[in-house]
């Protein structure tokens, strides 16, 4: 796995890049406090499906603008977007507010930012709807009601995957997450 230091906002961030050279790219955003290798199992499975992965090691200090700048630095015009917890919050915001950069959205343990979620509040109350095929994976930390309400804020195909007893989807259910990403990257 290649580690790149990429300009993002006012600083740099480390991005772990691996997989076959492909027209299909996946940007993965972790939750705050996740280890740098949280997506390694997911990425290994994605590489077997001919997907190139770009796993950001930490989302601390990153925002929508800095992530778009990061995509520009990596010369990625079109990606499939994946996030977990705080990384999912960023992924939802990017997908909702940016047209033409993302092919699909897979998020774990974080509902749409305009929905009251597991943290008991809305992340961003004025967040627009997402117009991308979207999968929301929920473990025990996110309620089904939040997932259902999030579906009302997706104006495209929407799927909820329930995983009972999972606290951290990429760490504990990497094979399920990889499957959902592959399903979203396929044109069938």
């Amino acid at each position: 796995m290649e580690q790149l230091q990429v300009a993002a906002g006012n600083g740099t961030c480390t991005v772990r890049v691996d997989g076959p050279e492909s027209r299909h790219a996946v940007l993965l955003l972790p939750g705050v406090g996740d280890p740098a290798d949280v997506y390694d199992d997911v990425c290994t499975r994605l590489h077997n499906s001919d997907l190139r992965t770009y796993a950001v090691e930490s989302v601390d200090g990153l925002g929508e603008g800095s992530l778009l700048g990061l995509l520009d630095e990596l010369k990625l015009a079109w990606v499939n977007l994946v996030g977990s917890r705080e990384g999912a919050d960023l992924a939802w915001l990017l997908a909702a507010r940016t047209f033409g950069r993302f092919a699909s959205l897979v998020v774990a343990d974080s509902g749409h930012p305009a929905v009251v979620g597991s943290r008991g509040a809305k992340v961003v109350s004025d967040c627009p709807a997402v117009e991308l095929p979207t999968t929301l994976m929920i473990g025990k930390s996110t309620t089904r009601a939040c997932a259902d309400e999030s579906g009302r804020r997706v104006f495209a195909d929407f799927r909820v995957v329930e995983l009972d007893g999972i606290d951290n989807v990429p760490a504990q259910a990497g094979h399920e997450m990889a499957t959902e990403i592959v399903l979203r990257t396929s044109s069938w």
Side-chain angles (χ1 to χ4, degrees):
M1 182 169 291
E2 181 181 5
Q3 292 186 337
L4 302 176
Q5 293 296 317
V6 182
N10 295 330
T12 62
C13 73
T14 303
V15 180
R16 299 160 62 98
V17 180
D18 205 353
E21 289 294 333
S22 170
R23 65 184 180 98
H24 300 286
V26 179
L27 178 68
L28 300 115
L29 305 171
V32 170
D34 279 344
D37 64 353
V38 71
Y39 283 113
D40 281 2
D41 182 46
V42 174
C43 289
T44 299
R45 293 169 188 276
L46 295 178
H47 302 155
N48 291 332
S49 295
D50 197 33
L51 298 170
R52 186 147 178 93
T53 58
Y54 297 81
V56 174
E57 286 191 353
S58 173
V59 295
D60 290 332
L62 295 178
E64 295 166 69
S66 56
L67 282 171
L68 290 172
L70 180 132
L71 290 174
D72 292 340
E73 288 289 321
L74 292 169
K75 297 179 179 25
L76 296 173
W78 184 252
V79 298
N80 297 280
L81 190 55
V82 177
S84 177
R85 296 186 330 274
E86 293 84 3
D89 293 341
L90 277 170
W92 277 110
L93 290 169
L94 280 168
R97 294 181 173 164
T98 308
F99 181 76
R101 292 296 295 260
F102 306 108
S104 66
L105 176 64
V106 176
V107 288
D109 289 327
S110 182
H112 187 279
V115 172
V116 175
S118 59
R119 296 180 197 106
K122 297 176 182 180
V123 176
V124 178
S125 61
D126 65 343
C127 184
V130 170
E131 296 185 39
L132 293 173
T134 301
T135 299
L136 173 55
M137 303 181 75
I138 57 174
K140 68 181 181 182
S141 64
T142 307
T143 65
R144 180 63 196 220
C146 173
D148 291 340
E149 184 64 28
S150 295
R152 293 184 185 97
R153 305 204 189 276
V154 176
F155 298 160
D157 182 60
F158 181 70
R159 174 176 157 81
V160 176
V161 176
E162 291 185 62
L163 303 167
D164 292 331
I166 300 294
D167 292 318
N168 186 325
V169 173
Q172 297 174 297
H175 56 288
E176 288 96 338
M177 182 172 242
T179 298
E180 295 304 322
I181 295 166
V182 169
L183 287 171
R184 283 294 176 207
T185 61
S186 299
S187 59
W188 48 275

